[in-house]
Amino acid sequence: MIQKNEIYQIRIEDMTTEGDGIGKVDGYPLFVKGALTGDLAEVKVIKAKKTYGYGRLVRLLEPSAFRVTPECEAAGPCGGCQLQAMSYEEQLRFKENKVRNNLLRIGKLEEVPMLPIIGMEDPFRYRNKAQFPIGTDKEGNPVAGFYAGRTHSIIPVRDCLLGVKENQKILDVILGFMKEYGVTAYEEEKGTGLVRHVLIRYGFRTGEIMVCIVLNGKRLPHGEVLVDRLRKIDGMTSISLNVNQKRTNVILGTEMVYLWGAEFITDFIGDVEFRISPLSFYQVNPVQTRKLYEKALEFAGLTGGETVWDLYCGIGTISLFLAQKAGKVYGVEIVPEAIEDARINAKINGIGNAEFFVGKAEEVLPAYYERNGGTADVVVVDPPRKGCDRAVLDTIARMKVGRVVYVSCDSATLARDVGYMREYGYQVERMQGCDMFPFTVHVETVCLLCRK
Ligand code: SAH
């Protein structure tokens, strides 16, 4: 019988999809945070359930062949990355397996037509967006950082190795300003204090920078001083406030106050130019996004005259990519500001064959079909982690759409939806993983489903 607080010596045999190691004591599985497949370790049992338990890594006796020394100093406590100690090659293998296993187990596929995962040449500093929570340290100084795993205490890190170097410069200016003018940081437990988060976006191609400060209030005292300092930073293009007075984990509120410069920044994916507002979704890894969209375009198999729907289209990134090769593209997105951006993006790129609708995909597509009937050659979906609503999938099947290109950031919900579409006679033709988020357990995929 496994005892809590006892220490056992175990070999890690496998990993969970969340990146925790799994090892066994006489057949009883223990989940161990920070342990890698191949590690031989002393593990202290911190929780013992009937059929499995949780252990804490006490001592590494024999490190796994996949172990590397993390480059980031906050790798242990910071909850942002889970795979800092795993070699990049092994991360890619881990992600490919995760996708395959989900499709086998949840999607009930007999075989997965997987293409080799697309990795990054340089897996650092790939993020064009960072959202730093702001807090106060023990000495009363404002700090910026990231949440420790599964908690809301802030680990001070101003230079995250996944983000751009500019982040640190910007945070130094903001924290210095807060200290000098006694501007308070938000306190989550009490709901008091002013500055909650700093959102920074950076255009990789254009070098344009957006800073948006999220406030538990509507006004930033001495805001003009901060603006004056921030605008001196090379590339600064847009400075704004976001009002979020709700006691919630959601970072951004809905109200914007623009302080200086443009209300957006511009960036490119391939040859398509995009205007990005603070509230709009935009893919965080532009290098990999381009490769992913090229795959999606290839899977769509367009020849020039097709009718295509792009559901969950955000600011129209995929839509406009596809429009270059399609007859007509319809985009659907729930955030009105994103659709405003999508329409402008179509215009600035001289794309006249894309039309956009604000609303829920599960309402807009069925309503359109009820009214107009017809079909589409290709439907692209790129839903948030929870996957597609059944009404979307039902309508796609009723429209007898020939090809469905499913872009997904969560292969578990993708597998669920794929399983559902198989009942309608759709078959998985190709499955591609793309590593958009090195050092985290997340993996982006694009899947081609064809109607039989
Ligand atoms: N395809 C875009 C965005 C993908 S992210 C890109 O690659 O950039 C998912 C998007 O779905 C977000 O923009 C989100 O606002 C939107 N969304 C979430 N729920 C939705 C729903 N029910 N109907 C339509 N869009 C939705």
Side-chain angles (χ1 to χ4, degrees):
M1 193 48 199
I2 298 295
Q3 295 292 330
K4 193 178 159 180
N5 293 326
E6 279 294 304
I7 292 178
Y8 298 89
Q9 183 174 320
I10 60 172
R11 175 79 68 182
I12 303 300
E13 295 164 18
D14 203 354
M15 296 187 77
T16 68
T17 54
E18 297 309 307
D20 298 336
I22 312 171
K24 286 182 185 148
V25 185
D26 299 330
Y28 176 95
L30 279 176
F31 297 102
V32 188
K33 207 171 201 28
L36 298 185
T37 303
D39 281 342
L40 180 69
E42 282 182 359
V43 170
K44 183 174 182 173
V45 177
I46 48 177
K47 201 172 196 177
K49 301 217 179 195
K50 228 188 204 139
T51 51
Y52 64 91
Y54 295 94
R56 189 167 56 75
L57 187 64
V58 179
R59 199 154 69 96
L60 207 51
L61 302 171
E62 239 178 71
S64 157
F66 309 125
R67 246 183 206 283
V68 293
T69 308
E71 306 253 343
C72 173
E73 51 188 282
C78 174
C81 293
Q82 301 83 33
L83 306 178
Q84 280 271 354
M86 191 189 271
S87 72
Y88 187 55
E89 231 170 63
E90 184 61 14
Q91 289 179 36
L92 293 176
R93 216 179 57 88
F94 166 84
K95 293 183 187 193
E96 211 172 280
N97 276 341
K98 172 170 163 172
V99 172
R100 185 182 293 107
N101 287 339
N102 277 336
L103 283 156
L104 293 172
R105 285 189 203 144
I106 305 169
K108 303 271 187 292
L109 262 63
E110 296 78 37
E111 212 185 314
V112 188
M114 288 274 282
L115 297 162
I117 187 167
I118 303 170
M120 290 195 85
E121 258 158 55
D122 174 11
F124 291 99
R125 302 210 181 274
Y126 58 82
R127 287 185 65 98
N128 59 14
K129 170 181 159 182
Q131 302 181 108
F132 293 91
I134 305 295
T136 312
D137 69 10
K138 288 196 193 80
E139 283 79 49
N141 295 313
V143 287
F146 290 104
Y147 293 126
R150 292 181 191 135
T151 76
H152 266 205
S153 55
I154 296 173
I155 309 282
V157 195
R158 288 163 309 138
D159 188 30
C160 164
L161 297 180
L162 306 190
V164 294
K165 289 214 168 97
E166 283 74 3
N167 290 340
Q168 182 167 4
K169 234 188 277 175
I170 294 163
L171 290 174
D172 283 345
V173 169
I174 295 172
L175 296 173
F177 159 82
M178 287 176 66
K179 190 166 175 174
E180 195 177 328
Y181 286 89
V183 176
T184 53
Y186 182 61
E187 279 187 65
E188 209 172 20
E189 298 84 57
K190 297 190 217 142
T192 58
L194 188 59
V195 180
R196 294 175 75 128
H197 271 85
V198 172
L199 161 69
I200 303 170
R201 273 180 159 158
Y202 179 80
F204 270 53
R205 182 89 72 84
T206 57
E208 292 183 3
I209 300 173
M210 165 187 290
V211 174
C212 174
I213 300 162
V214 186
L215 297 183
N216 176 34
K218 290 183 189 276
R219 221 182 63 80
L220 180 65
H222 310 284
E224 67 293 343
V225 177
L226 180 61
V227 165
D228 217 47
R229 292 179 187 176
L230 284 175
R231 56 185 274 203
K232 295 206 175 83
I233 295 173
D234 254 4
M236 191 56 64
T237 303
S238 167
I239 304 173
S240 60
L241 303 175
N242 175 271
V243 182
N244 184 359
Q245 293 175 294
K246 291 204 180 118
R247 297 195 62 175
T248 151
N249 283 340
V250 178
I251 294 176
L252 293 170
T254 49
E255 189 184 337
M256 293 297 306
V257 181
Y258 293 96
L259 296 179
W260 180 82
E263 296 185 4
F264 56 85
I265 59 166
T266 306
D267 201 25
F268 288 81
I269 299 174
D271 299 326
V272 190
E273 183 179 343
F274 293 100
R275 190 174 276 203
I276 308 147
S277 306
L279 294 177
S280 300
F281 176 91
Y282 185 64
Q283 296 286 359
V284 298
N285 182 334
V287 171
Q288 294 300 88
T289 296
R290 178 180 182 172
K291 297 181 195 164
L292 181 81
Y293 288 0
E294 270 160 9
K295 268 292 157 202
L297 189 61
E298 180 193 319
F299 285 4
L302 302 177
T303 56
E306 290 86 354
T307 301
V308 182
W309 283 81
D310 177 20
L311 306 177
Y312 313 89
C313 70
I315 60 172
T317 32
I318 298 178
S319 323
L320 299 182
F321 220 71
L322 296 168
Q324 301 168 304
K325 296 262 171 72
K328 175 92 196 195
V329 177
Y330 298 100
V332 183
E333 160 65 43
I334 200 169
V335 175
E337 289 84 359
I339 288 292
E340 259 171 58
D341 282 350
R343 289 184 180 131
I344 294 167
N345 288 333
K347 204 181 240 165
I348 57 181
N349 287 287
I351 293 172
N353 58 339
E355 195 177 322
F356 294 97
F357 303 97
V358 180
K360 293 183 179 165
E362 61 270 27
E363 289 170 7
V364 173
L365 187 69
Y368 185 93
Y369 181 62
E370 283 307 318
R371 237 179 309 113
N372 303 297
T375 181
D377 302 287
V378 181
V379 174
V380 177
V381 298
D382 183 8
R385 301 197 65 179
K386 69 172 194 244
C388 289
D389 192 285
R390 285 263 166 108
V392 168
L393 303 175
D394 292 336
T395 309
I396 290 173
R398 271 167 53 212
M399 288 168 79
K400 302 193 168 61
V401 175
R403 294 162 92 79
V404 179
V405 179
Y406 195 136
V407 181
S408 162
C409 55
D410 184 341
S411 54
T413 56
L414 165 76
R416 178 201 68 202
D417 292 349
V418 160
Y420 188 69
M421 289 308 276
R422 289 178 84 215
E423 292 171 28
Y424 278 120
Y426 283 82
Q427 201 175 326
V428 177
E429 296 276 312
R430 265 173 284 170
M431 185 69 222
Q432 174 76 65
C434 179
D435 191 22
M436 294 268 245
F437 316 104
F439 299 104
T440 76
V441 293
H442 301 293
V443 52
E444 194 85 9
T445 52
V446 48
C447 171
L448 172 63
L449 286 155
C450 291
R451 186 167 178 271
K452 287 289 139 217

